[in-house]
Amino acid sequence: MQWLKLLIYLISSLILKTNAQFERDPNGYLVYCPCMGRFGNQADHFLGSLAFARALNRTLILPPWVEYRKGELRSRQVPFDTYFEVEPLQEFHRVILMSDFMSHLADEVWPASERVSFCYMERKSLQQEKNDPNAPNCHAKDGNPFGPFWDTYNIDFVASEFYGPLHFDVHHSAIATKWQQSYTADKWPVLAFTGAPASFPVQLENRVLQKYLKWSPRYREAAREFIRNVLPRGAFVGLHLRNGIDWVRACEHIKDSQQLFASPQCLGYKNERGELYTELCMPTKEAIVRQLKRIIKNVRQSQPKNEVKSVFVASDANHMISELSNALSRMDISVHKLPEDDPYLDLAILGQSNHFIGNCISSYSAFVKRERDTHGFPSYFWSFPKEKERQQSKPHEEL
Ligand SMILES: Nc1nc2c(ncn2[C@@H]2O[C@H](COP(=O)(O)OP(=O)(O)O)[C@@H](O)[C@H]2O)c(=O)[nH]1
Ligand SMILES: *[C@@H]1O[C@H](CO)[C@@H](O)[C@H](O)[C@H]1NC(C)=O
Ligand SMILES: [Mg+2]
């Protein structure tokens, strides 16, 4: 009967473990809506929010990822652990899935009658009749994705709290202590923010937290299979081509700013590696082909044993498959993309490429760059550093 004892022991310890997992944190919780931008923006915000939760010593409630589908008026909320593992995050700080918090702890810790939304200052509703000058409000559920996000867990707010002038820069001030003094865990068990308690782009100090974001087994496996089964054996270069219509419009902001979106990742947070220029956001097709060929040639010279056999292209719009195939045909290099659009699988594959060329302005590229940095894999950016005028005016560079 030894095995029975063992079985009982295993089962009981498992039950104890699950219960312990959902034990109330006396230091309280922090939750927010990733209400700004798509995945790249949300990932930047996640790293900042993780750092913030740790500085306040509150458990971070892992929000679902907010996604937008064509033709749908309401955002979709995808559980955090669809894409990333929860456990590695625990090495850095206490976290809990939002669904676990809501189903196991909310009744006790955050009853419906005590749900307060936090915003810096009053946020006006788009519906004029909702704005009462005598009762300023966060309107945390106003519009998309704000409403759909909290609705996913049947959360309504009974009051608003304006936290200004407090802010989130826990690395350069004693602001964490001020938060703890203003909002003690016993009076405020859950701080629920209308947006991420973090900056965009991600602060320099928080980039390293990327190492705690590990792809879920499903995506790790799918990336491995694609690389093994579809790509020819040998090294491959991963490309991110961000060139959809929204991007063309975003790039117009280049001319009136010092930095744009993720640009500090190549220009430096204080522009120590240069100023913005258009090609950084929108490289020409010729520049793309030229840079890709140059990198492949360099790899052939420096790593003759690990020759580049293929190129994997991820894009939101134009993958340039035929242009790139033509340009590389004489080098015996094939060009590939996923058969079906999948932004997450694209990211997971780019993370594993032997070489990566991304868009410096894009926060989607930035995710790949940070992941690769945690492994020491090399990354480059389109049209960076800036080509000298002399080189640009060369009619054609033969390889
Ligand atoms: N499948 C796929 N989707 C992409 C790619 N690049 C951009 N997208 C989509 O466009 C969105 C871009 O928004 P975001 O992630 O905030 O990054 P950013 O706008 O480039 O800074 C992504 O989240 C994807 O949904 C790509 O290479 N592959
Ligand atoms: C942080 O919170 C944890 C869990 O509630 C607690 O055990 C720990 O003592 C706290 N640390 C500090 C420095 O207050
Ligand atoms: Mg964006």
Side-chain angles (χ1 to χ4, degrees):
M1 294 309 267
Q2 269 317 98
W3 62 272
L4 191 64
K5 269 193 196 155
L6 185 67
L7 192 68
I8 289 169
Y9 168 78
L10 283 176
I11 290 173
S12 55
S13 60
L14 199 70
I15 291 169
L16 279 178
K17 193 177 168 234
T18 9
N19 280 342
Q21 211 184 335
F22 299 127
E23 224 168 71
R24 175 179 186 152
D25 181 352
N27 279 288
Y29 298 81
L30 194 157
V31 66
Y32 69 92
C33 173
C35 275
M36 194 197 88
R38 290 187 280 171
F39 177 75
N41 298 50
Q42 292 174 38
D44 268 41
H45 270 159
F46 174 74
L47 298 183
S49 303
L50 181 62
F52 183 65
R54 170 145 132 156
L56 267 56
N57 199 25
R58 282 173 177 266
T59 296
L60 178 64
I61 295 173
L62 300 173
W65 302 97
V66 173
E67 297 183 8
Y68 305 90
R69 312 262 162 102
K70 259 203 195 107
E72 293 185 10
L73 296 175
R74 292 170 70 85
S75 61
R76 296 250 196 127
Q77 281 59 241
V78 179
F80 185 93
D81 61 344
T82 304
Y83 305 126
F84 302 102
E85 290 189 299
V86 174
E87 213 159 72
L89 289 163
Q90 305 277 14
E91 283 171 36
F92 177 71
H93 186 58
R94 304 182 306 283
V95 296
I96 183 172
L97 287 170
M98 191 156 177
S99 55
D100 283 339
F101 176 79
M102 291 311 294
S103 51
H104 299 284
L105 291 163
D107 287 345
E108 181 202 333
V109 179
W110 203 39
S113 59
E114 294 172 16
R115 294 179 182 169
V116 178
S117 69
F118 277 63
C119 53
Y120 186 83
M121 55 193 281
E122 177 183 14
R123 294 168 77 248
K124 289 268 200 289
S125 173
L126 293 172
Q127 293 155 275
Q128 232 6 278
E129 67 275 13
K130 280 200 194 165
N131 294 316
D132 176 353
N134 298 315
N137 197 293
C138 288
H139 296 292
K141 294 184 65 173
D142 220 64
N144 189 44
F146 297 89
F149 176 81
W150 300 106
D151 277 345
T152 305
Y153 302 96
N154 299 313
I155 294 168
D156 285 301
F157 295 103
V158 297
S160 297
E161 173 69 17
F162 309 114
Y163 60 76
L166 296 183
H167 57 82
F168 313 125
D169 186 2
V170 294
H171 295 292
H172 300 102
S173 63
I175 201 74
T177 313
K178 293 199 178 129
W179 277 96
Q180 287 169 326
Q181 286 163 352
S182 305
Y183 301 108
T184 56
D186 53 340
K187 267 190 82 181
W188 302 90
V190 177
L191 308 184
F193 291 93
T194 48
S199 63
F200 179 79
V202 62
Q203 256 189 308
L204 181 62
E205 292 82 358
N206 295 334
R207 294 174 54 90
V208 293
L209 301 185
Q210 180 82 28
K211 68 166 175 275
Y212 301 104
L213 270 182
K214 294 256 162 61
W215 286 101
S216 62
R218 183 171 140 195
Y219 278 86
R220 258 201 324 263
E221 202 41 51
R224 193 182 300 153
E225 288 214 338
F226 182 87
I227 294 167
R228 192 194 292 147
N229 300 338
V230 178
L231 301 185
R233 278 175 72 99
F236 75 102
V237 184
L239 311 182
H240 180 217
L241 300 180
R242 183 76 164 95
N243 49 24
I245 186 70
D246 70 316
W247 196 248
V248 177
R249 290 208 193 97
C251 291
E252 286 168 9
H253 295 289
I254 284 276
K255 48 187 179 307
D256 33 56
S257 28
Q258 292 277 92
Q259 300 274 8
L260 184 64
F261 307 147
S263 63
Q265 68 177 326
C266 68
L267 299 178
Y269 278 73
K270 294 177 177 149
N271 286 100
E272 54 282 26
R273 290 188 292 277
E275 303 292 323
L276 277 179
Y277 46 95
T278 309
E279 303 79 58
L280 205 52
C281 197
M282 260 298 162
T284 63
K285 285 186 174 176
E286 294 72 33
I288 288 170
V289 168
R290 222 182 307 141
Q291 188 172 352
L292 177 59
K293 280 184 166 182
R294 194 190 328 127
I295 283 172
I296 292 172
K297 217 171 112 184
N298 286 346
V299 175
R300 283 198 170 168
Q301 276 163 9
S302 60
Q303 295 161 257
K305 289 224 172 88
N306 198 20
E307 225 179 81
V308 173
K309 291 290 186 197
S310 62
V311 170
F312 172 75
V313 190
S315 178
D316 56 317
N318 183 358
H319 292 73
M320 289 180 57
I321 297 294
S322 57
E323 290 99 324
L324 295 172
S325 298
N326 287 339
L328 300 177
S329 62
R330 279 198 297 156
M331 301 171 102
D332 195 25
I333 290 171
S334 53
V335 183
H336 306 260
K337 70 182 183 86
L338 289 182
E340 275 170 50
D341 185 55
D342 184 339
Y344 301 92
L345 187 52
D346 268 349
L347 284 173
I349 294 170
L350 292 176
Q352 293 300 313
S353 62
N354 300 77
H355 300 273
F356 168 64
I357 316 177
N359 186 307
C360 171
I361 312 294
S362 165
S363 61
Y364 183 94
S365 272
F367 186 92
V368 179
K369 164 76 163 104
R370 286 192 306 266
E371 178 179 313
R372 298 174 62 80
D373 284 352
T374 71
H375 298 124
F377 296 165
S379 304
Y380 322 89
F381 296 106
W382 296 117
S383 298
F384 184 82
K386 193 173 186 174
E387 288 185 323
K388 296 194 188 74
E389 304 299 333
R390 175 174 51 82
Q391 281 174 332
Q392 256 174 5
S393 58
K394 260 195 203 172
H396 187 65
E397 190 175 320
E398 199 55 60
L399 282 166

